[in-house]
């Protein structure tokens, strides 16, 4: 983004005897590092103010045909570029000679911008390691209950958490999705991306949703470093969940009023390689506090709760 311009007069002549232009700071992807400065633009015509549309494209460059990212942009720090109204800019950096835009999905002409404050700095500030605790299980297995108990326990110990509850997200972020297969897959994808952002912010993100298919949970796991995705499976038999039926959904599904209900006419695929399994049998279920303690013990043992 073009910073607020503060022109500074210069003395002497510029290139090829042209008047020396005024300088304006620009935000280069990645931002200036500690003790350094961002890139600068030089307007070819002295005294002319560069417009945003003229200035912004100059930072969208990369070596060869590679997309611009933090690694490519790091080479642009403390580098000057010449930008003229009458001719294309020529960066004073060998090998960087093209404007580069990226296409991701349906988005075109986009550029990734890094920030000098990253996950490491945020984790140090919060004194914890960002991660995703993904709680999966049948409807009525106690996912939301565990999520709240875990958040409460971690909060009492001074750790910052945030819960992404499946039903709650359908009140906002995912309100445009129904329960058909395609939309359910998109629901999980959005939660996976959101949980990744929370973990990158240094928080302990607790995602609580049925997420019935292994492939979709696996896709969410791949978004993060494997060790920071902690899958918790609430292994509760269908008959126990149906007996609880806290939302009355099993009754509606059995009556044929809800189609594609997990456990009734749609499958649930138990995890095969999850980090934590919490079992519950009829008449023998752990308390929410006890379940939360199991997860906290795992987080402590794996140094997510730093001192």
């Amino acid at each position: 983004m073009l910073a607020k311009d503060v022109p500074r007069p210069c003395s002497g002549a510029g290139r090829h005897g042209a008047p020396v232009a005024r300088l304006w700071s620009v935000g280069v992807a990645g931002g200036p590092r500690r003790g350094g400065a961002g890139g600068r633009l030089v307007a070819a015509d002295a005294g002319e103010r560069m417009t945003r549309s003229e200035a912004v494209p100059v930072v969208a460059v990369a070596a060869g045909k590679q997309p611009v990212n933090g690694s490519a942009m790091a080479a642009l720090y403390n580098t000057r570029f010449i930008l003229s109204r009458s001719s294309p800019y020529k960066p004073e950096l060998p090998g960087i000679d093209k404007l580069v835009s990226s296409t991701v999905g349906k988005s075109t002409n986009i550029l990734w911008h890094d920030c000098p404050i990253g996950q490491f700095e945020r984790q140090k500030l919060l004194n914890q390691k960002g991660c995703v605790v993904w709680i999966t299980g049948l409807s009525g297995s106690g996912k939301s209950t565990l999520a709240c108990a875990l958040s409460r326990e971690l909060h009492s110990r001074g750790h910052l958490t945030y819960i992404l509850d499946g039903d709650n997200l359908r009140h906002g972020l995912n309100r445009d999705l129904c329960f058909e297969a395609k939309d359910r897959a998109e629901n999980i994808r959005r939660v996976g991306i959101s949980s990744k952002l929370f973990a990158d912010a240094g928080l302990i993100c607790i995602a609580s949703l049925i997420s019935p298919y292994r492939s979709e949970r696996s896709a969410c796991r791949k978004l993060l470093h494997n060790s920071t995705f902690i899958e918790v499976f609430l292994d509760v038999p269908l008959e126990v969940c149906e007996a609880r039926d806290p939302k009355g959904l099993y009754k509606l599904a059995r009556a044929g009023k809800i189609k594609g209900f997990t456990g009734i006419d749609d499958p649930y695929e138990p995890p095969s390689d999850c980090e934590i399994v919490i079992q519950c049998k009829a008449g023998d279920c752990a308390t929410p506090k006890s379940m939360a303690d199991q997860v906290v013990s795992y987080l402590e043992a794996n140094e997510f709760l730093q001192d």
Side-chain angles (χ1 to χ4, degrees):
M1 180 177 289
L2 187 64
K4 185 176 181 180
D5 43 314
V6 183
R8 298 187 298 173
C10 301
S11 59
R15 287 192 169 194
H16 310 298
V20 175
R22 294 177 178 178
L23 300 180
W24 290 277
S25 295
V26 299
V28 178
R33 294 188 184 277
R34 294 188 181 92
R40 288 186 179 276
L41 295 176
V42 182
D45 300 317
E48 289 191 349
R49 184 181 296 270
M50 214 177 303
T51 66
R52 180 183 298 270
S53 62
E54 292 172 319
V56 171
V58 79
V59 302
V61 297
K65 297 182 179 180
Q66 297 301 313
V68 176
N69 54 30
S71 299
M73 294 305 290
L76 304 182
Y77 292 126
N78 302 314
T79 302
R80 293 189 175 189
F81 299 89
I82 304 300
L83 183 64
S84 169
R85 290 180 183 275
S86 59
S87 63
Y89 77 90
K90 296 185 182 298
E92 296 176 334
L93 192 64
I96 294 186
D97 58 0
K98 293 185 178 181
L99 288 174
V100 176
S101 62
S102 299
T103 297
V104 180
K106 297 180 180 179
S107 298
T108 59
N109 301 312
I110 58 174
L111 177 68
W112 181 272
H113 290 272
D114 284 326
C115 176
I117 301 300
Q119 186 184 47
F120 176 80
E121 288 77 13
R122 293 187 286 269
Q123 291 181 155
K124 186 175 181 181
L125 182 67
L126 295 173
N127 195 35
Q128 63 187 41
K129 184 177 179 181
C131 64
V132 174
V133 178
W134 190 281
I135 305 174
T136 178
L138 292 169
S139 177
S141 60
K143 298 180 299 298
S144 297
T145 300
L146 171 57
C148 290
L150 177 59
S151 180
R152 186 183 304 112
E153 180 62 27
L154 290 171
H155 180 80
S156 69
R157 297 179 181 220
H159 296 289
L160 188 58
T161 68
Y162 197 84
I163 297 174
L164 296 179
D165 182 86
D167 275 9
N168 289 356
L169 289 172
R170 284 183 177 274
H171 283 77
L173 177 65
N174 295 335
R175 67 183 304 169
D176 60 319
L177 302 177
C178 66
F179 287 92
E180 294 179 358
K182 182 178 179 180
D183 277 10
R184 294 188 75 174
E186 173 62 12
N187 178 63
I188 301 302
R189 190 193 70 83
R190 291 185 191 179
V191 178
I193 294 291
S194 299
S195 63
K196 176 185 177 180
L197 295 176
F198 276 96
D200 185 61
L203 278 67
I204 298 172
C205 179
I206 306 169
S208 167
L209 59 169
I210 294 173
S211 47
Y213 303 119
R214 296 190 190 99
S215 60
E216 293 171 0
R217 297 193 300 268
S218 178
C220 293
R221 179 186 291 274
K222 290 177 181 177
L223 292 171
L224 296 97
H225 296 298
N226 191 53
S227 62
T228 58
F229 186 91
I230 303 157
E231 191 172 9
V232 180
F233 172 39
L234 287 184
D235 186 6
V236 183
L238 174 62
E239 57 270 20
V240 173
C241 296
E242 191 167 0
R244 293 173 175 174
D245 202 10
K247 304 173 187 176
L249 299 179
Y250 283 102
K251 184 177 181 179
L252 293 174
R254 291 294 187 187
K257 296 181 180 180
I258 297 179
K259 300 296 184 181
F261 190 77
T262 302
I264 303 300
D265 55 352
D266 205 55
Y268 176 83
E269 299 173 354
S272 57
D273 58 351
C274 62
E275 284 72 18
I276 302 172
V277 177
I278 299 177
Q279 291 185 326
C280 174
K281 299 178 181 180
D284 183 21
C285 292
T287 65
K289 175 66 165 60
S290 177
M291 292 191 294
D293 286 343
Q294 290 184 56
V295 181
V296 170
S297 295
Y298 180 92
L299 296 175
E300 287 178 329
N302 290 274
E303 301 181 345
F304 286 97
L305 310 181
Q306 302 172 6
D307 295 323

